[in-house]
Amino acid sequence: MTTTMGATELSACLSQYGLQASGPARLLPGGHVGQSVVVPTAQGPLVVKRFNRRFDPARVQLAAQAHQHAARAGLAPPLRLTRDGRRTAQVADATYTVAEYVDQAERAGPAAFASALATLHNHLESFSPQSPCADFLQLPDPPAADLERVRRQTDDAASREAIDWRIKILAEFGLDTQSLAAVPRNWVHGDARPDNLLITRSPDRRLFIDFDQVSRFPRPYEIVRAFMACISPRLSAHLLGSTFRDYLNAYQAVAPIPATDRAIMIDLYLTIQAAETRTFTTPEGEIRGMPDFARARHEQLTWIVEHSGLLRGVAKEAQP
């Protein structure tokens, strides 16, 4: 499979929708779990997304169902159906979706993002997939087990040092032996962050994209994870507290957060982030080095550990 989508590949995909390109395609930024290009057609510009091999057809189908579910409520750009009524297209060993292209979008601030996320979470309450699929997001239980397994398998000093540090965090916060099995799960976007929310200028719409990681997962985790994606780790403690308070209030104005969820959300986020092994392993489970992505995650975890007491206090005092 080529790194970029060529004209032949795009033509084979679009033909399944009864479409053809009317000009050259333009690559969109991102591409962590797939590659997206904007293609001009006689029916307007469309986004063709190709999923990488990590996403089997069942997972892509689930992502497309969640996307279409949100689109029916005006919370995502509509997906196109193939000529035989399918949400996804298959060309050789690659799977694709085609969606309407929304241009002229701007980035959301934390409060605006929280409001949009709460609206999406409310709507996902009625999401019912047509067929079962394994969750993309998994809860580590017990939290440190996978970290210890990966540590035994790697000889890379930098990876071992980072793993030791994460195990230490779990132990110091008393999170290493806590079971996560009883934490309630709901449908979540899975990758909720400002880059995956489009706020169109005219008309004013808030549209989520990239439902690739949609899963049954604890919602308090996604709420905090999305907040962390909205802010800079260079915020002062005072601004961090006030911004988190405004963020939670904006979310709760749409979807009240139970006190039990607010009480655990910071520890839950810390546990899952510290126990994460995907920064050390490939999808096949093999050890890999520490790329820029892993270092950024390491720095973010360091920062939230430093401010965890402040964030816990804000979360517990927030009023629904």
Side-chain angles (χ1 to χ4, degrees):
M1 184 186 298
T2 58
T3 302
T4 57
M5 282 186 261
T8 301
E9 179 184 355
L10 283 171
S11 177
C13 174
L14 291 173
S15 67
Q16 298 188 43
Y17 295 83
L19 300 167
Q20 61 182 6
S22 59
R26 173 167 61 86
L27 181 67
L28 290 175
H32 177 59
V33 296
Q35 186 183 85
S36 297
V37 297
V38 177
V39 185
T41 72
Q43 298 187 34
L46 301 173
V47 175
V48 177
K49 178 160 187 171
R50 180 181 65 196
F51 292 80
N52 66 29
R53 291 186 176 122
R54 181 177 185 177
F55 291 82
D56 59 30
R59 160 55 52 181
V60 180
Q61 186 64 229
L62 177 67
Q65 289 177 40
H67 184 133
Q68 198 77 318
H69 180 74
R72 283 193 287 269
L75 301 175
L79 282 180
R80 285 294 182 104
L81 299 181
T82 62
R83 285 183 295 187
D84 57 358
R86 292 180 292 115
R87 297 183 182 90
T88 63
Q90 197 77 17
V91 177
D93 63 348
T95 310
Y96 304 78
T97 58
V98 173
E100 305 292 340
Y101 177 59
V102 179
D103 205 354
Q104 302 300 313
E106 57 190 22
R107 188 180 174 94
F113 187 89
S115 176
L117 181 62
T119 301
L120 179 66
H121 281 170
N122 276 343
H123 186 61
L124 286 176
E125 291 289 348
S126 60
F127 178 51
S128 180
Q130 296 172 353
S131 57
C133 178
D135 285 334
F136 182 87
L137 303 173
Q138 298 291 333
L139 282 175
D141 201 1
D146 279 351
L147 287 173
E148 290 164 352
R149 174 187 57 79
V150 172
R151 190 186 188 286
R152 289 193 298 269
Q153 294 175 4
T154 183
D155 295 324
D156 178 71
S159 291
R160 288 174 69 92
E161 182 180 354
I163 293 169
D164 286 341
W165 176 77
R166 291 184 181 209
I167 292 173
K168 181 180 178 182
I169 288 172
L170 291 170
E172 287 184 349
F173 281 89
L175 305 170
D176 51 340
T177 59
Q178 290 189 16
S179 174
L180 302 176
V183 180
R185 292 157 173 77
N186 301 89
W187 284 107
V188 298
H189 180 279
D191 194 21
R193 53 190 172 88
D195 289 348
N196 284 335
L197 177 68
L198 308 177
I199 299 183
T200 62
R201 297 189 184 111
S202 180
D204 182 27
R205 291 188 296 164
R206 298 178 181 184
L207 306 174
F208 279 90
I209 58 173
D210 286 352
F211 287 80
D212 322 324
Q213 299 178 38
V214 65
S215 295
R216 296 277 299 180
F217 208 72
R219 228 164 244 174
Y221 171 77
E222 175 152 273
I223 294 170
V224 178
R225 182 185 183 275
F227 172 73
M228 294 298 295
C230 287
I231 62 171
S232 165
R234 292 182 289 274
L235 274 181
S236 67
H238 173 71
L239 281 177
L240 173 63
S242 62
T243 304
F244 190 41
R245 186 176 295 105
D246 291 344
Y247 173 90
L248 289 180
N249 288 341
Y251 185 99
Q252 294 197 123
V254 178
I257 307 171
T260 51
D261 286 356
R262 287 186 278 112
I264 68 166
M265 59 171 44
I266 302 303
D267 282 352
L268 182 64
Y269 178 83
L270 276 172
T271 303
I272 294 168
Q273 288 291 303
E276 177 60 65
T277 60
R278 282 180 294 179
T279 53
F280 307 108
T281 57
T282 66
E284 291 75 31
E286 300 167 346
I287 304 300
R288 67 183 178 191
M290 289 286 287
D292 291 342
F293 173 73
R295 278 191 288 272
R297 292 280 294 273
H298 184 91
E299 291 169 1
Q300 186 182 65
L301 184 57
T302 301
W303 187 73
I304 196 171
V305 165
E306 179 183 350
H307 295 93
S308 57
L310 168 66
L311 293 170
R312 278 194 204 93
V314 172
K316 289 179 181 178
E317 75 183 23
Q319 296 300 315

